[in-house]
Amino acid sequence: MTLNRRRLLLGSAALLAGTAGTAVPAAAAPAGFPDYRYSRLALVKSKLRYNPTGELIFPTIRGTKDRIAGARAAYYLYYAPHDAPGGICLAYANSLDEEFTEHPGNPIISRSWPGEYSVSHVSSPHAMWNDDVKRMYLYFHGENTVTRLASSADGINFTYEKEVLSTRLQPEGTTETSYARVFRHDLTSRGARYVMVFMLNNRTNRRDIGWGWSANARDWTFSQTPLIRHQDVGAVNVGGPHLLFRNNSVYVVYNTDIGSGGNILITEVGRDFTLRRHLGVFHDSLSGSPDNGRSAAPSFGTYQGREYMIYEAGDRLAGNIAIARAV
């Protein structure tokens, strides 16, 4: 299976209609990013010991070399079901071209942490190796109104840290602050070394991308206006944001709801986050399996010099984790 040609819409917020599933030659992506072609599923749901709801979302892939002594494999994959009870899960593999092995102790973080919280579900794990403290920082939500932080030296056994984001830190009427990812990036003018991007919802039930900054990846300041608004890119909802760095600039890739195309879009925000250059489709979803018209929540890794995208494939709350390779 091959993906559609991505369309570059420099300086425009309009989206072109897709023709998902059409086989065409791979083409240069916006801003010189590679095109990605679906390769395989990272996990076979029928084999999983912990699979309470039959749906998997929000992958994060992290290399363990020179970070975790005695790691179980070269790559750790964090993921979760969303619906209750959720649960933060781990799988591992020695390459990005193979099926991942489920960690037998899943979930590594559950919906109840004695003395800290008890919620209906926890989900959307984003793992970041924090070189400043030599620990894996893992951000996750539960409920959808709160994003939390736990940390670990081995990437498996976590210590609860704190709440880092909640609806009360956003304007009146905000109903969700979740699906957060954090990246090392200097914002000197703000005294920051880390940036967070996340999904915002409010009483209109139209989702945007929010953002914040931090000196230590624990204590955060948040913009009171969205980084990317759904209406600016012609979508009903946008979510699943991830930062990419290229061309001495910073880009946000994020997904739209399936009714708005179900694709992953790209916006250049610049190193200081003052640009809003909407570049169009970054990755076209396949009309057939496994995407079924929806690609979402991408994470990125490199194996043997080749770039990979690990993403959420399929209908919301029925999806799996897929692997795509740069071509």
Side-chain angles (χ1 to χ4, degrees):
M1 289 184 288
T2 57
L3 303 173
N4 291 355
R5 182 185 179 94
R6 298 193 189 100
R7 291 163 296 277
L8 180 59
L9 305 178
L10 286 170
S12 172
L15 299 180
L16 298 179
T19 55
T22 303
V24 297
F33 287 96
D35 200 6
Y36 292 95
R37 180 179 299 165
Y38 169 69
S39 174
R40 63 169 300 136
L41 293 175
L43 299 162
V44 178
K45 288 192 285 187
S46 62
K47 296 181 181 180
L48 298 179
R49 183 196 63 81
Y50 184 78
N51 184 18
T53 60
E55 40 90 21
L56 306 176
I57 70 166
F58 214 79
T60 299
I61 192 73
R62 287 293 173 261
T64 61
K65 183 180 179 182
D66 299 327
R67 293 172 172 173
I68 297 174
R72 300 195 178 200
Y75 295 92
Y76 280 6
L77 172 65
Y78 298 89
Y79 64 96
H82 182 271
D83 277 0
I88 308 306
C89 296
L90 172 67
Y92 25 76
N94 282 317
S95 85
L96 298 182
D97 283 320
E98 63 185 78
E99 182 182 332
F100 278 67
T101 298
E102 180 189 18
H103 176 57
N106 283 338
I108 58 174
I109 296 175
S110 73
R111 64 178 174 175
S112 178
W113 200 313
E116 302 296 350
Y117 63 78
S118 180
V119 294
S120 71
H121 76 289
V122 291
S123 193
S124 72
H126 174 78
M128 179 198 71
W129 182 257
N130 188 332
D131 268 325
D132 292 341
V133 295
K134 306 302 180 187
R135 292 179 70 82
M136 190 76 80
Y137 272 25
L138 195 144
Y139 302 83
F140 59 100
H141 80 250
E143 308 290 351
N144 287 69
T145 56
V146 178
T147 294
R148 305 174 186 275
L149 170 64
S151 73
S152 171
D154 65 5
I156 298 175
N157 299 289
F158 282 85
T159 299
Y160 186 76
E161 297 286 348
K162 60 184 295 186
E163 293 182 13
V164 292
L165 170 63
S166 72
T167 52
R168 70 178 181 273
L169 300 177
Q170 288 292 297
E172 174 69 23
T174 300
T175 59
E176 293 179 65
T177 48
S178 50
Y179 301 95
R181 294 193 188 273
V182 173
F183 303 88
R184 176 74 177 86
H185 177 65
D186 289 329
L187 285 173
T188 306
S189 64
R190 299 178 186 269
R193 290 166 50 79
Y194 299 90
V195 173
M196 178 188 292
V197 287
F198 57 94
M199 188 200 73
L200 271 171
N201 196 10
N202 58 39
R203 292 176 187 145
T204 68
N205 206 30
R206 296 291 184 265
R207 292 164 178 84
D208 299 320
I209 304 301
W211 76 295
W213 51 92
S214 171
N216 59 13
R218 291 173 49 88
D219 305 299
W220 293 86
T221 301
F222 296 101
S223 172
Q224 298 301 290
T225 57
L227 182 67
I228 299 168
R229 302 181 302 172
H230 65 279
Q231 64 266 36
D232 291 342
V233 293
V236 174
N237 294 293
V238 292
H242 192 293
L243 294 187
L244 292 176
F245 304 87
R246 222 176 188 95
N247 310 320
N248 197 33
S249 191
V250 180
Y251 301 80
V252 188
V253 291
Y254 51 95
N255 57 270
T256 68
D257 59 286
I258 197 166
S260 301
N263 295 320
I264 298 172
L265 308 185
I266 181 169
T267 294
E268 185 179 7
V269 295
R271 293 190 60 82
D272 59 0
F273 282 64
T274 59
L275 291 178
R276 298 296 184 271
R277 188 172 297 150
H278 305 302
L279 303 179
V281 177
F282 177 83
H283 179 82
D284 281 330
S285 60
L286 295 168
S287 60
S289 179
D291 297 4
N292 297 315
R294 180 178 178 270
S295 300
S299 182
F300 299 85
T302 302
Y303 172 62
Q304 294 186 340
R306 191 172 195 176
E307 295 182 64
Y308 288 74
M309 181 175 75
I310 293 83
Y311 67 99
E312 180 184 328
D315 294 340
R316 178 77 175 126
L317 303 185
N320 204 341
I321 308 304
I323 299 172
R325 296 189 298 182
V327 294

